[in-house]
Amino acid sequence: MSRQLSVTGFFKKPSSGGLERGEKRGSDVLEDNEEGGPAVTAVLSAAPGAKATSSGKEVRREYRVQWEREFTWLRAEGGKMFCDICRRAKANNGFVKGCTTIQKSALNDHKSSHSHIESCAVVNQSVQMEKHVEKSQVACNEALKTQLKVVLHMANTSTPSHQYPKLIHLLQSAGCPNLNTAHTYTHHDTVYQMEEAIAATITSAIDDRIASSRYVGVIVDETTNITVEKMLITYLSLQQNGEPETVFMGNYAIPSGTAECIAAKIKDVLSGRGVAMSRVVGLGSDGANVMVGRKNGVAQQLRQNDCPYLVNIHCGAHRTALAARDASKAVREIDAYVTTVNNTYTYYKNSPIRTHRLKELQKEMDEHDLLSLKQPSATRWLSLERAVKGMRANWVALVLELEEEEAARDCPVAKGLRRQLQKSTFPALTHLLTDVLSVVNRMNLTFQKEDVNISSIQPVVNMTLASLDDLISEPGVAERKFNEASQDGRFCGITLTQPDAQAFSKLRSQYLAEITKSVKKRFPEEHLGIIADLDTVLNASRYPTADSALKTHGLEALERVCDQYGSPRGAAAPLVENDRMQRDFLPMKRVLAGSGNPSFRGSCRLLITSLGEMFPDFRALAEVALVIPVSSVAAERGFSLQNKIKTATRSRLSEAKAQHLMSIASAAESIDTFDYTQASALFKSMRPRRKV
């Protein structure tokens, strides 16, 4: 039974200030305190809300956590009760300032108050608006993602920017659910900013990979673009957990092609991307004097001032092309042969009528697999082989068509070309060159592969020299077919003039000797230097199987490696500790041999990922060896990409826009895996006022 208050207390009037809304008298306090439930779970401060009974005892107003289940907006802080809804609506009532009447009746009064009801309505409207805005934002983000996909596809396919509105209209017409006029950009400046955002996203990812590679190699080359600007293209070779990678850095306009200008630009580019010059351990170039000059070349300037451990590599593909060119120039008959092939190509290229007659003649001969004529070019590595194959496939049709041209029109050019083609040495040289150039270009193609490394150089060169020795000993496949098909001075039914087997044999021997000498000259064993020593030390596939031979394997090469990387150079600290590396050499060889004698790349991967703590010096050597560029093919592909992007019809592209497009196209990001979230954030941050 409830304890009865005194009569005096019952009829006691309120204070002069009156009761605040939501407060109750003393009897209500007792009723609330006697509501069902176990002990109170939270007690607020009794001083501000306590009241005394007639007996003089203080009544404690206790806060019950159970109230929060009924009044979900209720919060208790600092001895007061607050309403989250009214707070959010910024209302002006006691539950915003903090109610000190700790009673359930105060909560009921507040719940039914006009201020709380209005606050609920305001908050509900705000919630609905937030949901609407969120839904609209999702739609806008999806629309932006779709537009970024379009721009990424355009950059990957070298599609001009002015085609963007047409592509967007095409997608809208096809019913693309993410595009509508409210969420679609159409201005060409927006396309540029999307390209910039995509390129920045790609560049950021590349910079992260560069930062994680302790050492890097630089690949550079220079050229002139369509607007006759001197350009320097730069790539970086790096490694990620033992996997080598080549990344595009940029294509920059330079005022001149001097070694000083190129070296300064390289330093500027690398410092701008956060790459310390001391990390550069390799330079790949086309072998031009401005790059590899012993006194003032780019490599020498970098090595003297900034990169003491830099190793300069002359591109293997360039060397191979130069070897073939040197041999052709050394033999007068080969040079004359190339001139005849070039003249024949020009004769038909400049006349569609002659070309049509040649094709019709080929159809009459039922030759369905004939190749088109190709022009030999001094700047394209594989062009001579393709020109020779085209001449071999079209030789019969060419001779017959030139005879018709000569008889019908008395054309002196046709007469001169026919006489050159009918000389016995011409088809014989065609078949000889087919065999020789296939061997040389196989080496060229090997050096053009992306996964080529320093261990590939000497084996490929040795394979090429062995194949040339085989051709010296006996004819190749194409030459044997020619010898079998030519009888009594006739080949394929056509009479050959000036047959002289002895003279051709002498010419054959001379050319094969020259091409062999040129390859050896361009790839001297003594000039491979430190890269050959790194291969000897790290390539477990070349370790001997016997333990006695394994102990002595590579000791001389290791000494040269210690001299290169274990001695301080100027202010630069050595990359390895010589004593520790010599002590660890035999254990390292035994561990790699016990791991199955992996290849050069496999050995480097193991040393970097699994054996790095055990053999830290050899881990450093592996990291260096993987990033030394063997060729500058990446730069040549970059120039091809530049010419594909900046054409005669797009010659007004700025350097920055061309840079963005080349960065995107070089990365070759898939539209399905690209990080559109980061690109969208960058795009939105470029200008403060955007639809999205």
Side-chain angles (χ1 to χ4, degrees):
M1 179 180 294
S2 300
R3 185 175 56 185
Q4 182 177 349
L5 294 174
S6 65
V7 175
T8 306
F10 182 82
F11 289 102
K12 186 178 180 181
K13 293 182 179 180
S15 62
S16 59
L19 289 175
E20 299 218 3
R21 182 170 188 153
E23 287 191 354
K24 285 193 175 183
R25 293 179 173 83
S27 60
D28 294 332
V29 175
L30 293 180
E31 291 174 3
D32 283 344
N33 286 339
E34 292 171 2
E35 285 186 358
V40 176
T41 56
V43 179
L44 301 183
S45 175
K51 293 199 176 184
T53 64
S54 58
S55 60
K57 293 184 179 180
E58 188 178 78
V59 179
R60 301 186 67 189
R61 295 179 175 177
E62 299 170 341
Y63 179 84
R64 294 179 180 272
V65 177
Q66 293 92 322
W67 295 346
E68 295 180 3
R69 291 197 293 269
E70 181 178 352
F71 305 99
T72 56
W73 40 263
L74 176 62
R75 295 293 179 269
E77 299 173 5
K80 299 179 181 181
M81 297 190 298
F82 295 87
C83 174
D84 278 350
I85 293 178
C86 293
R87 275 178 166 180
R88 184 172 176 182
K90 298 182 180 179
N92 185 17
N93 58 48
F95 274 80
V96 174
K97 301 175 182 178
C99 178
T100 58
T101 305
I102 314 301
Q103 303 176 28
K104 184 175 181 182
S105 58
L107 300 176
N108 287 323
D109 287 349
H110 177 71
K111 180 179 179 182
S112 59
S113 68
H114 178 71
S115 177
H116 180 75
I117 293 172
E118 281 188 344
S119 297
C120 289
V122 169
V123 170
N124 184 54
Q125 291 177 357
S126 177
V127 170
Q128 294 301 322
M129 180 60 70
E130 288 176 357
K131 290 182 179 179
H132 175 74
V133 171
E134 182 180 358
K135 183 178 179 181
S136 177
Q137 188 66 37
V138 170
C140 290
N141 290 337
E142 289 300 318
L144 178 56
K145 180 179 177 181
T146 301
Q147 292 170 87
L148 287 171
K149 283 186 176 182
V150 173
V151 174
L152 177 59
H153 171 75
M154 292 172 60
N156 283 335
T157 57
S158 300
T159 304
S161 299
H162 69 266
Q163 297 291 337
Y164 171 78
K166 297 179 181 179
L167 291 175
I168 293 297
H169 179 69
L170 174 64
L171 291 175
Q172 290 173 337
S173 301
C176 181
N178 296 328
L179 292 179
N180 58 60
T181 55
H183 299 150
T184 304
Y185 298 99
T186 56
H187 198 272
H188 61 86
D189 283 346
T190 306
V191 178
Y192 174 83
Q193 289 159 8
M194 288 184 183
E195 292 169 348
E196 185 179 2
I198 293 172
T201 302
I202 293 172
T203 301
S204 176
I206 289 175
D207 287 344
D208 291 341
R209 299 201 297 274
I210 293 174
S212 63
S213 181
R214 181 160 43 156
Y215 304 108
V216 297
V218 178
I219 302 172
V220 293
D221 202 354
E222 53 178 332
T223 190
T224 304
N225 63 14
I226 190 73
T227 54
V228 200
E229 294 175 301
K230 196 74 171 177
M231 306 299 295
L232 180 72
I233 197 165
T234 309
Y235 283 78
L236 221 60
S237 59
L238 49 99
Q239 62 85 23
Q240 296 285 305
N241 296 321
E243 293 295 336
E245 178 186 8
T246 302
V247 296
F248 175 75
M249 295 291 284
N251 190 30
Y252 307 95
I254 53 177
S256 68
T258 62
E260 292 79 8
C261 181
I262 294 174
K265 192 62 179 180
I266 292 174
K267 296 176 188 177
D268 182 55
V269 171
L270 295 185
S271 63
R273 299 288 286 270
V275 181
M277 294 302 296
S278 58
R279 295 168 57 193
V280 180
V281 295
L283 176 68
S285 67
D286 60 357
N289 188 57
V290 69
M291 296 290 182
V292 301
R294 294 184 179 180
K295 293 184 178 180
N296 296 313
V298 173
Q300 185 63 16
Q301 291 190 27
L302 294 177
R303 189 182 297 112
Q304 287 179 347
N305 302 324
D306 305 281
C307 315
Y309 298 105
L310 183 139
V311 175
N312 177 48
I313 301 294
H314 183 183
C315 172
H318 277 92
R319 292 191 191 193
T320 307
L322 291 173
R325 187 198 65 180
D326 293 346
S328 298
K329 288 185 175 182
V331 180
R332 181 173 54 85
E333 290 82 357
I334 301 296
D335 196 32
Y337 173 89
V338 174
T339 301
T340 301
V341 173
N342 194 31
N343 291 338
T344 304
Y345 170 82
T346 304
Y347 181 76
Y348 284 96
K349 177 189 176 184
N350 294 335
S351 175
I353 297 176
R354 297 176 191 139
T355 302
H356 175 72
R357 287 200 299 266
L358 179 62
K359 291 181 178 179
E360 290 298 319
L361 182 59
Q362 292 171 347
K363 291 179 181 178
E364 293 178 5
M365 296 172 62
D366 293 330
E367 296 288 348
H368 301 292
D369 298 328
L370 291 177
L371 302 175
S372 61
L373 295 177
K374 302 293 182 182
Q375 183 179 27
S377 172
T379 59
R380 296 192 177 274
W381 296 326
L382 306 179
S383 63
L384 182 57
E385 183 191 20
R386 293 171 181 171
V388 169
K389 287 183 177 179
M391 181 59 67
R392 180 189 176 195
N394 291 280
W395 183 81
V396 176
L398 283 170
V399 172
L400 295 178
E401 203 283 325
L402 289 170
E403 284 181 347
E404 292 181 6
E405 187 78 14
E406 178 185 356
R409 296 167 181 80
D410 194 22
C411 177
V413 177
K415 181 178 181 180
L417 289 175
R418 179 192 59 78
R419 287 182 175 179
Q420 292 296 326
L421 265 61
Q422 274 192 258
K423 288 182 180 179
S424 61
T425 54
F426 190 90
L429 270 179
T430 299
H431 289 77
L432 171 63
L433 288 173
T434 300
D435 292 327
V436 174
L437 293 178
S438 65
V439 172
V440 175
N441 283 345
R442 180 174 56 193
M443 178 169 66
N444 195 313
L445 289 172
T446 300
F447 289 129
Q448 292 185 43
K449 292 181 179 179
E450 294 185 358
D451 60 348
V452 65
N453 52 61
I454 62 177
S455 69
S456 307
I457 298 178
Q458 198 58 49
V460 172
V461 173
N462 292 339
M463 174 198 67
T464 302
L465 292 175
S467 298
L468 292 175
D469 287 340
D470 293 339
L471 291 177
I472 293 174
S473 303
E474 57 181 2
V477 176
E479 192 177 2
R480 283 200 303 269
K481 290 182 178 179
F482 171 76
N483 294 335
E484 294 170 358
S486 58
Q487 296 179 355
D488 301 326
R490 294 175 64 84
F491 176 64
C492 295
I494 296 176
T495 302
L496 302 177
T497 61
Q498 302 178 14
D500 191 342
Q502 186 175 0
F504 176 75
S505 177
K506 182 179 178 181
L507 171 61
R508 180 181 185 279
S509 300
Q510 181 184 3
Y511 177 65
L512 287 172
E514 284 294 336
I515 191 71
T516 301
K517 183 175 73 174
S518 296
V519 171
K520 291 180 179 179
K521 178 182 176 181
R522 292 292 177 178
F523 294 92
E525 292 187 14
E526 61 273 14
H527 286 186
L528 294 179
I530 193 64
I531 60 174
D533 293 332
L534 287 172
D535 182 47
T536 301
V537 171
L538 299 175
N539 193 348
S541 64
R542 300 186 182 177
Y543 290 172
T545 55
D547 189 67
S548 57
L550 185 65
K551 290 179 180 179
T552 59
H553 173 80
L555 293 179
E556 294 181 359
L558 183 66
E559 288 292 336
R560 292 189 290 269
V561 169
C562 289
D563 292 339
Q564 171 71 20
Y565 297 111
S567 303
R569 301 193 176 190
L575 305 186
V576 296
E577 293 183 17
N578 286 346
D579 293 341
R580 183 175 61 187
M581 188 165 63
Q582 291 176 343
R583 182 176 64 250
D584 291 345
F585 188 36
L586 181 58
M588 186 273 297
K589 288 188 289 185
R590 285 173 172 164
V591 170
L592 289 180
S595 300
N597 291 95
S599 64
F600 173 80
R601 179 174 291 183
S603 300
C604 291
R605 188 186 304 112
L606 280 175
L607 289 170
I608 293 172
T609 57
S610 304
L611 307 176
E613 294 184 2
M614 188 183 304
F615 307 114
D617 300 304
F618 290 100
R619 174 182 178 175
L621 287 183
E623 291 174 338
V624 168
L626 283 179
V627 302
I628 294 178
V630 175
S631 73
S632 62
V633 173
E636 299 295 335
R637 293 194 178 107
F639 287 135
S640 297
L641 180 60
Q642 167 201 267
N643 296 333
K644 186 179 179 181
I645 291 173
K646 193 164 186 175
T647 61
T649 57
R650 303 175 73 189
S651 59
R652 295 182 63 186
L653 286 180
S654 66
E655 181 181 344
K657 184 175 178 68
Q659 185 95 319
H660 295 156
L661 294 176
M662 289 188 68
S663 297
I664 297 170
S666 297
E669 291 279 355
S670 169
I671 61 173
D672 297 322
T673 58
F674 180 70
D675 184 5
Y676 295 101
T677 302
Q678 183 178 354
S680 298
L682 289 172
F683 175 73
K684 293 176 185 179
S685 66
M686 289 177 181
R687 293 178 64 180
R689 296 180 180 178
R690 293 201 171 273
K691 298 176 184 177
V692 181

